[in-house]
Amino acid sequence: NQLTQFEAALRIAKELGAKCVATETSDCTDEDREVQFERVVAALEHLLPIAKKYDVPIAIEPVIRHTINTPDMVSRLLERLNNDEYLKLLFDPVNLLRDDLANNTFSFFEEYISKYEKKFVAMHVKDIIEGERVPLGTGVMAKIYPHIARVLTVDIPLIREELPVDSLKEDLAFIRKTFCGQQVEETT
């Protein structure tokens, strides 16, 4: 049972000193969204008291093809459960992108950040071109990440998701330059 597994994850997270347990919601279609939304709410209503018991927040990672997929759905979930202390968000800008990239704009991310950044526990950083993972700063997020870095007012951990080992050096340089304001000298 997934709820039992998540309960165990919360207990183990407490033992390990982890700051949260993050999860995505399930894939769904627009036709199933309301039914799936109610399932997510019911699951979180069960899990949030356990999160409180272990003092380990739950972070939801919105994904465009999942139940919690848009700023409106995030707001509905947060308002419905009304739990600022134990219901948080994992910010993954790429997972919020529509397939047509129509929402890959400064204004979309600026609005998202201004609404939710106080709920962020961490941010995934990755980059894509036509759905394929590419080194940071070489894909559709190349111009968006510097803007996100300027707009964020909270200090949150960055997680380099799906790390391609062959671009580790370039990715680290991009992260340092973009998010830490550091120029990285090239070494050979």
Side-chain angles (χ1 to χ4, degrees), residues 64 94 96-104:
I64 197 68
V94 170
L96 294 169
L97 294 177
R98 293 184 358 198
D99 288 340
D100 64 6
L101 300 178
N103 64 343
N104 190 22

Side-chain angles (χ1 to χ4, degrees), residues 26 53 56 76 84 97 124-125 127 141 143 166:
S26 59
K53 173 185 173 182
V56 177
R76 280 184 62 197
D84 286 338
L97 294 177
H124 281 167
V125 289
D127 213 342
M141 298 302 292
K143 292 181 179 168
D166 56 338

Side-chain angles (χ1 to χ4, degrees), residues 45-65:
E45 286 175 336
H46 172 81
L47 291 168
L48 284 167
I50 298 163
K52 182 177 180 177
K53 173 185 173 182
Y54 292 118
D55 196 28
V56 177
I58 297 170
I60 301 296
E61 180 180 352
V63 178
I64 197 68
R65 67 182 186 283

Side-chain angles (χ1 to χ4, degrees), residues 63-81:
V63 178
I64 197 68
R65 67 182 186 283
H66 289 187
T67 307
I68 307 303
N69 66 332
T70 63
D72 289 341
M73 292 302 286
V74 171
S75 290
R76 280 184 62 197
L77 182 69
L78 295 176
E79 289 166 11
R80 177 90 171 265
L81 293 168

Side-chain angles (χ1 to χ4, degrees), residues 71 91 93 96-97 102-118 120 123 141 143-154:
F91 180 38
L96 294 169
L97 294 177
N103 64 343
N104 190 22
T105 63
F106 295 150
S107 62
F108 172 79
F109 287 110
E110 190 168 342
E111 181 180 338
Y112 189 86
I113 290 165
S114 71
K115 278 178 107 168
Y116 305 119
E117 74 174 327
K118 293 197 178 2
F120 295 166
M123 182 172 107
M141 298 302 292
K143 292 181 179 168
I144 297 293
Y145 279 134
H147 184 72
I148 287 172
R150 284 190 300 276
V151 172
L152 277 174
T153 63
V154 294

